[in-house]
Amino acid sequence: MRTSQLYLSTLKEAPSEAELISHKLMLRAGLIKRLGSGLYTWMPLGLRILRKVERIVREEMDKAGAQELLMPAVQPAELWQETGRWDVFGPQMLKIKDRHERDFCFGPTHEEVITDIARNELRSYKQLPVNFYQVQTKFRDEIRPRFGVMRAREFLMKDAYSFDASFDGLKASYAKMAVAYANIFTRLGLKFRAVAADSGAIGGDGSQEFHVLADAGEDLLAYCPTSDFAANVEAAEALAPTAPRAAATETLRDVETPKQTTCEDVAALLGISIERTVKLIALVAADGQFVIALLRGDHSLNEVKLGKLAGMGDFRFATEEEIRSTFNCPPGFLGPVGIAADIKVIADRTVAAMSDFVCGANKPKFHIAGVNFGRDLPEPALVADIRNVVAGDPSPDGKGVLELCRGIEVGHIFQLGTKYSKALNATFTDVDGALKPFEMGCYGIGVSRVVGAAIEQNFDERGIKFPQAMAPFEVAIVAVGYHRSEAVKEAAEQLYAELAAAGVDVLLDDRNERPGSMFADMELIGVAHRFTIGDKGLADGVVEYVARAGGEMQKVALAEVPAFAK
Ligand code: ATP
Ligand code: MG
Ligand code: MG
Ligand code: MG
């Protein structure tokens, strides 16, 4: 490919709606264009990257014995009514009607459809095990689409579904997928961690998530550096010996990024009045319940007075000790308390839930966010991510202490068992002649999210540093003076032809631009390796080499470049 033929649309500044670095860089590099909330066009350059991810995913799925098929994106309501999920899936599901007023949805996932295939196609244990996968567009009407393709409404997922005759079979199919996933993320060149996503057992073999490690990740992970314990924080909490489970996480995690609001705004929303000297420092939640923490005086921990709303407009102040005992907080739990000039409010739904709570008689359990976001925690942080598992807690396996880190969920594997096969009456005849429901597993990868996650982990002030496997091009040849120097043109064309013939994914920058802006573009879009050809170097028979990953510029003899680039 030549830049003169490539549609490049790089920008100096990111559009202001982008908060996260990956979103900004994807827009600046012209990889994606926004169509509407959570809806993105993959431009040619971006699509090259997406396709590279897809290719690796497909290769590893095929290698693991899975078979690709393609199911419809639009699915009839009847199937979802059979499993009962039509009513319980909730507002994430985009429901649509056809011209006959029949109900459909745009698939947020495909368990129902694949189980329907299985009940019609798979009749005998002899056909098992089998694993079907697809790479298909999903639609989830996320309450707050954000971060570009990382939390989009329409996105690309690889979803696989395994069918086995027995639970042991399911465990084997699941284990194969765990290996395939590790291979995929390794080949993509990403730093990742597989974590238990349920509390079934230590090591959580019923469900695991694969997270790309990045400070901006929405998910909090707990792991033990001296053992192989690793779990998402919800699973870790359920196993933690000391801490009560925060049952509200699911709801809260899906409730969205805290929005910045002043105390006055919150007071107005709640219909209460507060003294100006009182800072409302946090809204806190667990078990679906909410309290407000208030900060007074000189903001030091000892001076902190925390209270809960005993009723609308009625504060009851309490000492730190009292709060600890009332709410069963472990020691050290309230710190560090920072000063937030503005508090973070989880928007409207929280306020509604809070009003419910403060008017009710429930005794709350809670977690205190006395935290100054941006200073104590990375932005954007969810208030709901303040947990009762903290760094230094004993690991549930008893083999050390926990550390916490942030991750972006890029994959999720799950032992479904017979949940869907029973609901849809999907059975096969086993060796003994008995009719049995399939043991199922499901396995997802957010293919489009992977691209954003990779950037979140690999960038610098000049742009994206894609790992080679995902780079839009492996090699760029920047030909400085292509349009005025025959020697440069000839050498560049020859090198380009040789690299292309050797199977290198190479981009020849043959534009008539200033070298600085050509370099800037190649760096912004994340080409992995750059060779610069200019008259001066050619006189000595050399070109300049720079790796996007970092390192010094090197001079390489022109004749050695093809071998060097391999
Ligand atoms: P999340 O917790 O981030 O909402 P999820 O647990 O709802 O994700 P799954 O149902 O496990 O998602 O779907 C499989 C994969 O699809 C996820 O691991 C993630 O990589 C990807 N994914 C889910 N929702 C989105 C989205 N809105 N945009 C992009 N990718 C997504
Ligand atoms: Mg979700
Ligand atoms: Mg999740
Ligand atoms: Mg998931």
Side-chain angles (χ1 to χ4, degrees):
M1 179 69 84
R2 296 154 189 276
T3 32
S4 55
Q5 298 165 343
L6 175 71
Y7 185 76
L8 255 191
S9 55
T10 54
L11 301 170
K12 285 250 177 323
E13 302 284 334
S16 60
E17 87 257 11
E19 304 169 51
L20 273 201
I21 193 77
S22 57
H23 187 192
K24 286 187 181 147
L25 288 173
M26 286 186 81
L27 291 170
R28 276 192 57 206
L31 307 186
I32 52 168
K33 302 280 169 185
R34 182 179 184 274
L35 174 66
S37 171
L39 302 173
Y40 291 89
T41 297
W42 287 83
M43 296 301 282
L45 189 67
L47 191 61
R48 289 182 70 86
I49 299 157
L50 191 68
R51 293 284 184 249
K52 288 187 178 186
V53 177
E54 273 180 64
R55 202 179 76 203
I56 288 177
V57 168
R58 283 197 169 90
E59 284 174 8
E60 293 300 324
M61 292 303 291
D62 293 343
K63 209 155 89 189
Q67 297 175 63
E68 185 168 2
L69 47 57
L70 185 60
M71 293 177 265
V74 173
Q75 310 177 12
E78 287 76 17
L79 269 181
W80 290 77
Q81 283 153 353
E82 274 189 72
T83 59
R85 288 213 291 179
W86 183 255
D87 294 319
V88 301
F89 202 89
Q92 278 207 5
M93 185 153 72
L94 178 66
K95 294 179 173 173
I96 44 189
K97 279 189 196 295
D98 72 1
R99 65 171 72 198
H100 308 292
E101 291 288 302
R102 283 192 289 249
D103 288 315
F104 291 83
C105 67
F106 193 111
T109 178
H110 278 74
E111 282 83 9
E112 277 77 359
V113 179
I114 198 72
T115 312
D116 182 61
I117 303 268
R119 72 178 164 184
N120 294 322
E121 297 297 318
L122 306 174
R123 315 217 158 253
S124 158
Y125 70 95
K126 290 179 193 153
Q127 293 165 288
L128 305 177
V130 64
N131 186 333
F132 294 119
Y133 79 95
Q134 64 173 349
V135 180
Q136 172 63 298
T137 300
K138 305 282 194 235
F139 191 96
R140 294 185 185 179
D141 203 353
E142 300 280 357
I143 183 162
R144 238 193 111 195
R146 57 185 184 271
F147 313 148
V149 297
M150 292 230 276
R151 188 166 296 284
R153 294 200 293 171
E154 187 180 301
F155 61 97
L156 195 62
M157 195 200 286
K158 184 287 299 173
D159 45 325
Y161 305 88
S162 65
F163 295 86
D164 273 276
S166 67
F167 186 63
D168 280 347
L170 163 58
K171 284 201 288 194
S173 296
Y174 177 89
K176 261 193 202 164
M177 285 293 107
V179 171
Y181 274 42
N183 290 343
I184 288 167
F185 297 117
T186 303
R187 278 185 66 187
L188 288 170
L190 299 171
K191 288 187 267 314
F192 69 97
R193 194 182 285 278
V195 303
D198 74 0
S199 53
I202 289 176
D205 49 11
S207 171
Q208 280 164 284
E209 290 168 353
F210 287 75
H211 286 264
V212 163
L213 304 177
D215 291 341
E218 285 186 276
D219 292 306
L220 200 56
L221 314 176
Y223 64 99
C224 175
T226 52
S227 76
D228 55 12
F229 179 84
N232 68 27
V233 82
E234 295 85 351
E237 272 184 345
L239 294 168
T242 51
R245 171 105 216 257
T249 15
E250 274 317 306
T251 3
L252 272 174
R253 259 155 40 91
D254 285 310
V255 191
E256 317 3 310
T257 313
K259 145 182 131 188
Q260 226 154 6
T261 310
T262 61
C263 336
E264 284 75 16
D265 288 339
V266 179
L269 277 168
L270 292 170
I272 56 174
S273 63
I274 52 173
E275 301 168 42
R276 290 201 72 86
T277 53
V278 174
K279 280 279 184 210
L280 196 53
I281 56 162
L283 294 182
V284 188
D287 300 338
Q289 296 165 352
F290 300 81
V291 292
I292 293 178
L294 297 170
L295 178 71
R296 266 190 161 207
D298 72 359
H299 300 142
S300 71
L301 185 61
N302 288 341
E303 291 287 322
V304 169
K305 298 275 187 265
L306 297 157
K308 71 184 171 79
L309 283 173
M312 295 300 273
D314 178 20
F315 293 103
R316 189 178 70 80
F317 287 92
T319 64
E320 193 193 334
E321 252 35 75
E322 198 182 338
I323 285 159
R324 276 217 185 104
S325 63
T326 309
F327 301 112
N328 192 19
C329 307
F333 194 63
L334 296 181
V337 172
I339 303 147
D342 289 325
I343 65 157
K344 307 274 176 178
V345 177
I346 306 173
D348 318 336
R349 260 173 68 185
T350 303
V351 172
M354 184 161 43
S355 326
D356 275 345
F357 160 65
V358 296
C359 299
N362 286 335
K363 181 177 166 185
K365 283 184 200 154
F366 80 134
H367 306 261
I368 296 285
V371 175
N372 188 341
F373 292 96
R375 188 199 63 195
D376 304 326
L377 274 181
E379 293 264 16
L382 296 184
V383 169
D385 268 353
I386 310 303
R387 297 317 180 113
N388 51 5
V389 166
V390 296
D393 275 0
S395 173
D397 65 5
K399 295 181 182 165
V401 291
L402 293 178
E403 287 192 13
L404 299 184
C405 68
R406 290 200 159 259
I408 301 165
E409 182 191 326
V410 287
H412 195 166
I413 59 177
F414 211 92
Q415 295 179 14
L416 295 169
T418 54
K419 177 172 171 189
Y420 293 93
S421 50
K422 278 188 178 149
L424 290 168
N425 196 23
T427 55
F428 66 98
T429 309
D430 207 352
V431 209
D432 57 7
L435 270 188
K436 292 182 185 164
F438 299 103
E439 291 283 351
M440 289 174 58
C442 72
Y443 316 93
I445 289 183
V447 175
S448 47
R449 180 182 284 184
V450 164
V451 178
I455 297 171
E456 212 49 64
Q457 193 178 72
N458 299 281
F459 65 89
D460 63 13
E461 65 293 341
R462 285 171 297 170
I464 305 169
K465 293 165 73 173
F466 275 120
Q468 175 160 327
M470 295 177 66
F473 296 93
E474 290 170 321
V475 168
I477 301 170
V478 176
V480 176
Y482 183 95
H483 293 266
R484 51 180 163 68
S485 161
E486 266 310 309
V488 167
K489 182 175 177 179
E490 203 177 293
E493 288 291 346
Q494 194 188 333
L495 184 59
Y496 175 59
E498 279 176 39
L499 289 177
V504 176
D505 187 18
V506 55
L507 177 68
L508 171 59
D509 200 344
D510 57 353
R511 290 175 296 172
N512 195 7
E513 297 274 346
R514 284 181 305 107
S517 77
M518 289 154 94
F519 295 154
D521 276 347
M522 295 304 108
E523 284 168 348
L524 174 60
I525 68 176
V527 179
H529 307 280
R530 188 180 81 213
F531 294 95
T532 306
I533 299 188
D535 273 322
K536 221 168 128 215
L538 279 186
D540 301 328
V542 296
V543 299
E544 288 177 357
Y545 167 74
V546 172
R548 186 66 183 92
E552 292 296 293
M553 190 266 280
Q554 298 176 46
K555 289 198 195 303
V556 181
L558 185 58
E560 279 159 28
V561 173
F564 185 88
K566 269 267 124 185

PDB file of all heavy atoms in Angstrom, residues 375-391:
ATOM      1  N   ARG A 375      -6.713  12.088  41.991  1.00  0.00           N
ATOM      2  CA  ARG A 375      -5.495  12.085  42.787  1.00  0.00           C
ATOM      3  C   ARG A 375      -5.285  10.709  43.430  1.00  0.00           C
ATOM      4  O   ARG A 375      -4.268  10.066  43.231  1.00  0.00           O
ATOM      5  CB  ARG A 375      -5.562  13.144  43.889  1.00  0.00           C
ATOM      6  CG  ARG A 375      -4.222  13.319  44.622  1.00  0.00           C
ATOM      7  CD  ARG A 375      -4.406  14.006  45.964  1.00  0.00           C
ATOM      8  NE  ARG A 375      -5.225  13.183  46.841  1.00  0.00           N
ATOM      9  CZ  ARG A 375      -5.798  13.653  47.962  1.00  0.00           C
ATOM     10  NH1 ARG A 375      -5.670  14.918  48.309  1.00  0.00           N
ATOM     11  NH2 ARG A 375      -6.504  12.853  48.719  1.00  0.00           N
ATOM     12  N   ASP A 376      -6.325  10.213  44.120  1.00  0.00           N
ATOM     13  CA  ASP A 376      -6.201   8.923  44.786  1.00  0.00           C
ATOM     14  C   ASP A 376      -6.589   7.764  43.876  1.00  0.00           C
ATOM     15  O   ASP A 376      -6.194   6.639  44.084  1.00  0.00           O
ATOM     16  CB  ASP A 376      -7.101   8.869  46.029  1.00  0.00           C
ATOM     17  CG  ASP A 376      -6.780  10.004  46.973  1.00  0.00           C
ATOM     18  OD1 ASP A 376      -5.598  10.376  47.042  1.00  0.00           O
ATOM     19  OD2 ASP A 376      -7.703  10.519  47.607  1.00  0.00           O
ATOM     20  N   LEU A 377      -7.415   8.062  42.915  1.00  0.00           N
ATOM     21  CA  LEU A 377      -7.874   7.025  41.997  1.00  0.00           C
ATOM     22  C   LEU A 377      -7.820   7.610  40.594  1.00  0.00           C
ATOM     23  O   LEU A 377      -8.001   8.801  40.418  1.00  0.00           O
ATOM     24  CB  LEU A 377      -9.338   6.666  42.288  1.00  0.00           C
ATOM     25  CG  LEU A 377      -9.622   5.634  43.350  1.00  0.00           C
ATOM     26  CD1 LEU A 377     -11.109   5.414  43.449  1.00  0.00           C
ATOM     27  CD2 LEU A 377      -8.919   4.328  43.038  1.00  0.00           C
ATOM     28  N   PRO A 378      -7.570   6.742  39.595  1.00  0.00           N
ATOM     29  CA  PRO A 378      -7.523   7.289  38.241  1.00  0.00           C
ATOM     30  C   PRO A 378      -8.900   7.769  37.780  1.00  0.00           C
ATOM     31  O   PRO A 378      -9.916   7.264  38.236  1.00  0.00           O
ATOM     32  CB  PRO A 378      -7.061   6.094  37.395  1.00  0.00           C
ATOM     33  CG  PRO A 378      -7.281   4.889  38.218  1.00  0.00           C
ATOM     34  CD  PRO A 378      -7.301   5.306  39.663  1.00  0.00           C
ATOM     35  N   GLU A 379      -8.868   8.732  36.904  1.00  0.00           N
ATOM     36  CA  GLU A 379     -10.108   9.206  36.297  1.00  0.00           C
ATOM     37  C   GLU A 379     -10.332   8.420  35.015  1.00  0.00           C
ATOM     38  O   GLU A 379      -9.378   8.119  34.324  1.00  0.00           O
ATOM     39  CB  GLU A 379      -9.975  10.674  35.896  1.00  0.00           C
ATOM     40  CG  GLU A 379      -9.852  11.605  37.046  1.00  0.00           C
ATOM     41  CD  GLU A 379     -11.184  12.218  37.429  1.00  0.00           C
ATOM     42  OE1 GLU A 379     -12.241  11.672  36.991  1.00  0.00           O
ATOM     43  OE2 GLU A 379     -11.187  13.211  38.133  1.00  0.00           O
ATOM     44  N   PRO A 380     -11.516   8.118  34.589  1.00  0.00           N
ATOM     45  CA  PRO A 380     -12.702   8.226  35.388  1.00  0.00           C
ATOM     46  C   PRO A 380     -12.847   6.978  36.238  1.00  0.00           C
ATOM     47  O   PRO A 380     -12.582   5.903  35.770  1.00  0.00           O
ATOM     48  CB  PRO A 380     -13.797   8.284  34.328  1.00  0.00           C
ATOM     49  CG  PRO A 380     -13.242   7.497  33.189  1.00  0.00           C
ATOM     50  CD  PRO A 380     -11.754   7.600  33.250  1.00  0.00           C
ATOM     51  N   ALA A 381     -13.272   7.168  37.446  1.00  0.00           N
ATOM     52  CA  ALA A 381     -13.420   6.012  38.324  1.00  0.00           C
ATOM     53  C   ALA A 381     -14.870   5.908  38.746  1.00  0.00           C
ATOM     54  O   ALA A 381     -15.554   6.903  38.871  1.00  0.00           O
ATOM     55  CB  ALA A 381     -12.535   6.178  39.538  1.00  0.00           C
ATOM     56  N   LEU A 382     -15.306   4.704  38.919  1.00  0.00           N
ATOM     57  CA  LEU A 382     -16.667   4.526  39.384  1.00  0.00           C
ATOM     58  C   LEU A 382     -16.674   4.531  40.901  1.00  0.00           C
ATOM     59  O   LEU A 382     -15.879   3.852  41.533  1.00  0.00           O
ATOM     60  CB  LEU A 382     -17.207   3.187  38.909  1.00  0.00           C
ATOM     61  CG  LEU A 382     -17.335   3.018  37.402  1.00  0.00           C
ATOM     62  CD1 LEU A 382     -17.969   1.682  37.091  1.00  0.00           C
ATOM     63  CD2 LEU A 382     -18.188   4.128  36.828  1.00  0.00           C
ATOM     64  N   VAL A 383     -17.567   5.276  41.461  1.00  0.00           N
ATOM     65  CA  VAL A 383     -17.708   5.253  42.908  1.00  0.00           C
ATOM     66  C   VAL A 383     -17.944   3.818  43.364  1.00  0.00           C
ATOM     67  O   VAL A 383     -17.438   3.368  44.366  1.00  0.00           O
ATOM     68  CB  VAL A 383     -18.871   6.162  43.339  1.00  0.00           C
ATOM     69  CG1 VAL A 383     -19.197   5.938  44.807  1.00  0.00           C
ATOM     70  CG2 VAL A 383     -18.500   7.605  43.094  1.00  0.00           C
ATOM     71  N   ALA A 384     -18.675   3.107  42.514  1.00  0.00           N
ATOM     72  CA  ALA A 384     -19.014   1.743  42.890  1.00  0.00           C
ATOM     73  C   ALA A 384     -17.807   0.817  42.932  1.00  0.00           C
ATOM     74  O   ALA A 384     -17.899  -0.288  43.400  1.00  0.00           O
ATOM     75  CB  ALA A 384     -20.037   1.183  41.916  1.00  0.00           C
ATOM     76  N   ASP A 385     -16.690   1.268  42.382  1.00  0.00           N
ATOM     77  CA  ASP A 385     -15.507   0.433  42.417  1.00  0.00           C
ATOM     78  C   ASP A 385     -14.759   0.500  43.739  1.00  0.00           C
ATOM     79  O   ASP A 385     -13.764  -0.162  43.924  1.00  0.00           O
ATOM     80  CB  ASP A 385     -14.542   0.819  41.286  1.00  0.00           C
ATOM     81  CG  ASP A 385     -14.832  -0.023  40.053  1.00  0.00           C
ATOM     82  OD1 ASP A 385     -15.653  -0.933  40.154  1.00  0.00           O
ATOM     83  OD2 ASP A 385     -14.226   0.252  39.021  1.00  0.00           O
ATOM     84  N   ILE A 386     -15.210   1.339  44.630  1.00  0.00           N
ATOM     85  CA  ILE A 386     -14.573   1.371  45.942  1.00  0.00           C
ATOM     86  C   ILE A 386     -15.081   0.151  46.693  1.00  0.00           C
ATOM     87  O   ILE A 386     -16.261   0.005  46.930  1.00  0.00           O
ATOM     88  CB  ILE A 386     -14.966   2.643  46.715  1.00  0.00           C
ATOM     89  CG1 ILE A 386     -14.759   3.860  45.843  1.00  0.00           C
ATOM     90  CG2 ILE A 386     -14.188   2.731  48.010  1.00  0.00           C
ATOM     91  CD1 ILE A 386     -13.363   4.006  45.320  1.00  0.00           C
ATOM     92  N   ARG A 387     -14.157  -0.726  47.030  1.00  0.00           N
ATOM     93  CA  ARG A 387     -14.555  -2.056  47.468  1.00  0.00           C
ATOM     94  C   ARG A 387     -14.140  -2.347  48.885  1.00  0.00           C
ATOM     95  O   ARG A 387     -13.294  -1.659  49.448  1.00  0.00           O
ATOM     96  CB  ARG A 387     -13.885  -3.096  46.582  1.00  0.00           C
ATOM     97  CG  ARG A 387     -14.307  -2.987  45.167  1.00  0.00           C
ATOM     98  CD  ARG A 387     -15.768  -2.771  45.143  1.00  0.00           C
ATOM     99  NE  ARG A 387     -16.225  -2.652  43.780  1.00  0.00           N
ATOM    100  CZ  ARG A 387     -16.994  -3.536  43.204  1.00  0.00           C
ATOM    101  NH1 ARG A 387     -17.388  -4.581  43.854  1.00  0.00           N
ATOM    102  NH2 ARG A 387     -17.381  -3.363  41.983  1.00  0.00           N
ATOM    103  N   ASN A 388     -14.689  -3.435  49.373  1.00  0.00           N
ATOM    104  CA  ASN A 388     -14.219  -3.852  50.673  1.00  0.00           C
ATOM    105  C   ASN A 388     -13.076  -4.860  50.566  1.00  0.00           C
ATOM    106  O   ASN A 388     -12.652  -5.439  51.536  1.00  0.00           O
ATOM    107  CB  ASN A 388     -15.344  -4.382  51.552  1.00  0.00           C
ATOM    108  CG  ASN A 388     -16.146  -5.424  50.838  1.00  0.00           C
ATOM    109  OD1 ASN A 388     -15.798  -5.807  49.732  1.00  0.00           O
ATOM    110  ND2 ASN A 388     -17.209  -5.875  51.462  1.00  0.00           N
ATOM    111  N   VAL A 389     -12.580  -5.086  49.357  1.00  0.00           N
ATOM    112  CA  VAL A 389     -11.303  -5.776  49.225  1.00  0.00           C
ATOM    113  C   VAL A 389     -10.284  -4.712  48.881  1.00  0.00           C
ATOM    114  O   VAL A 389     -10.469  -3.965  47.930  1.00  0.00           O
ATOM    115  CB  VAL A 389     -11.348  -6.834  48.104  1.00  0.00           C
ATOM    116  CG1 VAL A 389      -9.942  -7.292  47.749  1.00  0.00           C
ATOM    117  CG2 VAL A 389     -12.184  -8.019  48.540  1.00  0.00           C
ATOM    118  N   VAL A 390      -9.269  -4.608  49.668  1.00  0.00           N
ATOM    119  CA  VAL A 390      -8.261  -3.589  49.405  1.00  0.00           C
ATOM    120  C   VAL A 390      -6.887  -4.241  49.328  1.00  0.00           C
ATOM    121  O   VAL A 390      -6.692  -5.353  49.808  1.00  0.00           O
ATOM    122  CB  VAL A 390      -8.260  -2.477  50.493  1.00  0.00           C
ATOM    123  CG1 VAL A 390      -9.568  -1.716  50.489  1.00  0.00           C
ATOM    124  CG2 VAL A 390      -7.988  -3.067  51.866  1.00  0.00           C
ATOM    125  N   ALA A 391      -5.970  -3.515  48.694  1.00  0.00           N
ATOM    126  CA  ALA A 391      -4.611  -4.023  48.562  1.00  0.00           C
ATOM    127  C   ALA A 391      -4.074  -4.356  49.950  1.00  0.00           C
ATOM    128  O   ALA A 391      -4.290  -3.603  50.903  1.00  0.00           O
ATOM    129  CB  ALA A 391      -3.730  -2.996  47.873  1.00  0.00           C
TER     130      ALA A 391
END
